[in-house]
Each structure stands twice: as C-alpha cells, then as structure tokens.
Amino acid sequence: MNIGDIPSVLPCSCAQDVYEDRHLSGGFAGDLLSDVMGKAKADAVLVTVQAHRNTIAVASLAGLAAIVVCHDRPVPEDMVAAARDEGVAVFVTGLDPFEASGRLWVALNGQG
Amino acid sequence: MDRVPIDTDTGAKVVLELIYRLKVSDVMTPAPVAATEDRTLREIQTLMRERRITGVPIVNKRGGVAGMVSIGDIIEALDSGYIEDRAGERMTRQVLSLEAGMPLSFAISWLNRYRFGRFPVVDRDGLLVGIITSKDIIRALLLEMNGEVERLENEIRSGHGEAETASPDGTVSLCRSTLRWDFETAGKASAGIKKALKDAGIDPAIVRRAAIASYELEMNQVIHSWGGTIECRILGDRLEIAARDGGPGIADLEAALREGFSTADEWIRSLGFGAGMGLPNVRRSADDFFIDSTPGRGTTVQVTIRLDASPDANRTRGGAESNGGDA
C-alpha cells in the first residue's frame, strides 16, 4: 500500500499533497511525540491528534511518510508549510485514532 | 480601576519607545458604536448588551462628541427610574476626548489620571473617529512588544546561531543554538544535524539514531532550559553530540533519567511533549551516554554513537525499536 492509497482506505481530505508517493512500511498511532520519535519505523504512516508543526519535525527526523490527523482537527498553515518543505503527506479525517488505525491496519496487512 | 499599569515616565526603555512610537489612531477601535442625543437610555442599554461594550459616545448632528453614556450611567438610571429618558438629558457632558494624532502616552496618562474607563477619539475637526480603552492599549502593546522581541531574537540568532566548521583532520562540527519555549523553530537544530550526516554519507540507521538523540536533547532545552546549544561532531570512527545549556539545571538527575518522569507543565504535555521519554530515548540511541547537571549552572549531555558498529549490533538495536513500533 502506498501513501496515495490512504484516501481510499479512510474518509479523509489531503491537507498537504506535495509528496513522493512511496510504499508504506507500516503504521504507528500516538500523540506523545517522544514515543513516535523513538518507536515509529521509517516510511510509516502516523495516526495522531497532534496537529502542529512540531509533529512535522518529528515525522521528518524519524523518516515517516505520512500523517493522518484525527477528529477533523484543523491543520494550521505553518504545519502545512513545514510538511510541504519536508515532503510529508498530511491527511485529515473525522475518524478517531482507534478507527483510523484499524482501517489502516487492515489495508496494510491485507495487502502486505 | 481600569488603570494601565505602565509608568510612562520611567518605564523600561523599550516599552517607552513603543509608547512614543505609537499614535492613539494606531491603537483605538475605529468607527465606534455611537448614538445620537435623541436615543433613550433603554435603547443605549440594549446597544451595549448587543455589541458587548461598556460605554457609548453620544454624537451631535455634525458628528462631534456631545457626551458619553457609560454602563455606570445606565445602572444609575435603572436605580433612579429614568431609564426611558433621552441620552441628551442624562449623558455625562464633561467628556475628555483624545485626538487621533496624539502619542499613545497621552492616552495612558489620561486613563491613569482620570476616572474614565474609555476616551472618545476625535480628528482635527472634532469629529468622532474612534474610542480607546485600556484593553486596546494592552493588546496593541503586546503586539508591538512581540514584534520587537522577535526582531531582537532574530538578531541574536543570525549573530551566533549557527556555525559549521570543517577542520583539516576531517573533523566536521556543526553547532546550533536553541531558545526557551521556541516551539516555532524547535527541531531545526536536529534537522540541520540530520542533513549534515546524511550528506556526509553516514549509514541511514546511524543518522536516525543521531536524529532521535539530537531532537530529544533539543526539545529538552526548548522546554526546560533557558536556552543552549546542540553540537554534533563527526570524528573518524564516531559521532559526538553535545547538548549544553545555561540553566536552570536538573534537581534530581536519577529521576530525570527514569522513563515516565517529567516536570513539564500541562500545556507542554498537550503539545505531545513532556512524557518523560526524552532522556531515556537519548540513552537508548547512544553507545555512550554522559550527563552532568548542576542546579543554577546548567546541564551538559554527551552522546557518542559509533560509526563502526558491527551490523549485528545495529540489527539488535533496530529490532528492539521496531518491536516497539509493531506493538
């Protein structure tokens, strides 16, 4: 499954679409950025409620491929700008982290 | 009441400069809600409630200020039973108006000197163009101070913010500074280090460990210290990352190294930081870890990551990390 397949798995909109459509290695759900930083795998999709630019810094340093922001949380402009600079895809969904992760898990493991 | 707590004679120099730089017209609420003399106090009371204001200038036919009706006047009218009277009969007639071109210092002195909570602002012809309250002044000063401090911070940053040096023996050193509570640019130091290591052709797994360690150290400085530096050096067989800050230092080092221990405030936690995983994450990423902290003086953390680590050692470490990721 690739980054670009995320919208077909979840009801979501794309807040930042300038990215290289690469293969997802897996996923990680978390709002503690140190947890994400220390444990998420490179090229994974992050499911979180943390919609601010520090999330992009963490994603970029940990080599994450995409971020799914839950609960339709508004994505601030500086976060979008930072994500564009780093080539990190950002999607926004109305689902909660549990449901978003569940759907991504099925999609990732079904095709993996 | 409604005093502006700023000394316009001997206040801090930067604040005084701002007060003199700003004009009343820069700070006032323009085109304010006003009423004519034939309105009843009841109508003005409704106006106040709907627009959430506490004072309404009363204007004459040509648009000049004839008087003022404040929330105090309305209470008085309700109490004494003349709320249906016209504003022209009951308004406060002795009104001090400020002129739009005056320096802000006038407005501050007047608010401090007189009992009024607000002043109407008039143009040169005496026509009402705005209203000014202490709330307007505080908001404007905060905005100006923010801009001023931002300018100063940028000056500091460009002065000695970044330095990259390469010495003849092949040692590459990169040093970045961090600022307290600067969540806006937090992560820049680590991003710079990550890029430099990547450009130097270092193994991606090692670059990742260095990025994690430097980011955690950087965030620790942003959240807990008064600001400091993050330095990364590539020395032949190893990487060294050194984080130094100028205080306040860690009171209980042993506790700080324990996973889950944190002294972060609630608002920092709401950003996803301060979960007590920072230093443990740094230690996990390091082959060698050293920390020294003196309360009142500052904290130094030194991390060494070997570049010649055997593939096995890397795999074990990577495996431990991805186990956590899969869980």
Side-chain angles (χ1 to χ4, degrees):
Chain A
M1 172 182 172
N2 280 13
I3 300 172
D5 298 326
I6 291 176
S8 62
V9 174
L10 304 170
C12 64
S13 60
C14 188
Q16 200 298 102
D17 61 1
V18 183
Y19 59 88
E20 178 203 334
D21 190 17
R22 56 190 204 266
H23 183 71
L24 290 171
S25 67
F28 190 84
D31 302 319
L32 298 177
L33 295 179
S34 281
D35 193 32
V36 174
M37 186 94 209
K39 292 183 181 142
K41 287 189 289 183
D43 295 323
V45 52
L46 170 67
V47 178
T48 189
V49 298
Q50 295 289 1
H52 51 81
R53 63 185 287 168
N54 299 110
T55 318
I56 303 299
V58 167
S60 157
L61 289 164
L64 301 178
I67 295 174
V68 173
V69 174
C70 297
H71 297 306
D72 272 335
R73 284 218 177 181
V75 175
E77 234 163 75
D78 62 348
M79 179 182 177
V80 174
R84 194 178 301 124
D85 288 347
E86 299 293 335
V88 176
V90 180
F91 300 92
V92 180
T93 179
L95 300 179
D96 63 36
F98 181 77
E99 223 177 299
S101 302
R103 296 196 194 189
L104 285 166
W105 190 91
V106 169
L108 282 161
N109 291 279
Q111 292 170 23
Chain B
M1 103 185 206
D2 256 334
R3 284 171 70 89
V4 179
I6 292 171
D7 183 348
T8 51
D9 299 323
T10 56
K13 197 157 163 268
V14 175
V15 175
L16 286 184
E17 276 174 20
L18 295 178
I19 290 172
Y20 290 111
R21 192 195 302 164
L22 289 169
K23 285 190 195 141
V24 167
S25 56
D26 298 328
V27 176
M28 68 183 191
T29 302
V33 177
T36 47
E37 294 173 73
D38 57 347
R39 297 284 126 195
T40 65
L41 294 176
R42 174 82 72 196
E43 286 172 313
I44 290 172
Q45 183 207 358
T46 309
L47 197 59
M48 285 180 174
R49 196 177 53 232
E50 282 170 357
R51 308 296 287 265
R52 293 165 183 265
I53 50 176
T54 54
V56 176
I58 306 301
V59 290
N60 56 28
K61 287 200 180 85
R62 60 178 270 279
V65 179
M68 195 85 172
V69 172
S70 71
I71 194 93
D73 296 329
I74 295 290
I75 292 168
E76 183 67 34
L78 286 167
D79 201 33
S80 308
Y82 59 79
I83 191 74
E84 303 299 344
D85 285 6
R86 298 197 184 283
E89 301 159 31
R90 299 290 186 175
M91 65 189 180
T92 305
R93 285 183 180 275
Q94 275 189 313
V95 176
L96 290 168
S97 296
L98 284 159
E99 229 180 84
M102 286 176 169
L104 182 59
S105 59
F106 278 67
I108 294 175
S109 317
W110 284 24
L111 279 164
N112 284 336
R113 196 178 309 153
Y114 304 103
R115 61 179 183 86
F116 306 117
R118 65 203 67 72
F119 289 103
V121 181
V122 295
D123 64 9
R124 279 166 184 235
D125 302 322
L127 302 180
L128 180 73
V129 290
I131 193 159
I132 192 167
T133 66
S134 43
K135 202 164 112 188
D136 296 324
I137 294 174
I138 288 167
R139 185 174 49 224
L141 281 178
L142 276 175
L143 274 172
E144 284 294 310
M145 276 192 256
N146 193 45
E148 193 63 24
V149 170
E150 212 164 73
R151 191 184 61 75
L152 290 171
E153 278 182 354
N154 283 337
E155 242 172 49
I156 293 166
R157 226 172 271 156
S158 59
H160 52 86
E162 296 173 10
E164 188 169 354
T165 52
S167 61
D169 62 352
T171 308
V172 180
S173 171
L174 184 76
C175 189
R176 299 278 166 113
S177 57
T178 62
L179 289 165
R180 178 177 180 77
W181 292 353
D182 175 15
F183 288 91
E184 296 303 306
T185 55
K188 285 257 166 76
S190 323
I193 288 170
K194 185 185 179 188
K195 188 175 177 299
L197 298 179
K198 213 168 145 187
D199 291 349
I202 288 168
D203 174 28
I206 287 177
V207 172
R208 192 178 141 87
R209 281 165 59 197
I212 291 173
S214 62
Y215 183 73
E216 295 289 8
L217 292 171
E218 186 180 355
M219 290 319 298
N220 273 354
Q221 288 188 345
V222 169
I223 294 166
H224 300 290
S225 83
W226 303 112
T229 58
I230 308 279
E231 188 185 11
C232 181
R233 296 195 300 159
I234 308 174
L235 305 151
D237 63 339
R238 65 189 192 277
L239 282 182
E240 279 186 4
I241 300 168
R244 300 182 187 87
D245 67 56
I250 301 170
D252 188 344
L253 252 188
E254 206 181 306
L257 289 166
R258 211 161 48 225
E259 196 148 322
F261 177 88
S262 177
T263 56
D265 295 340
E266 209 50 51
W267 67 269
I268 288 171
R269 290 173 199 252
S270 74
L271 287 171
F273 299 110
M277 301 170 85
L279 282 176
N281 261 357
V282 175
R283 190 138 74 159
R284 246 194 315 274
S285 303
D287 286 314
D288 217 10
F289 176 88
F290 167 81
I291 183 164
D292 180 45
S293 187
T294 313
R297 287 251 301 281
T299 302
T300 299
V301 182
Q302 242 164 344
V303 166
T304 307
I305 299 174
R306 280 200 305 274
L307 294 172
D308 59 352
S310 67
D312 278 349
N314 269 337
R315 198 176 305 135
T316 311
R317 190 179 297 277
E321 270 177 22
S322 54
N323 274 346
D326 290 336

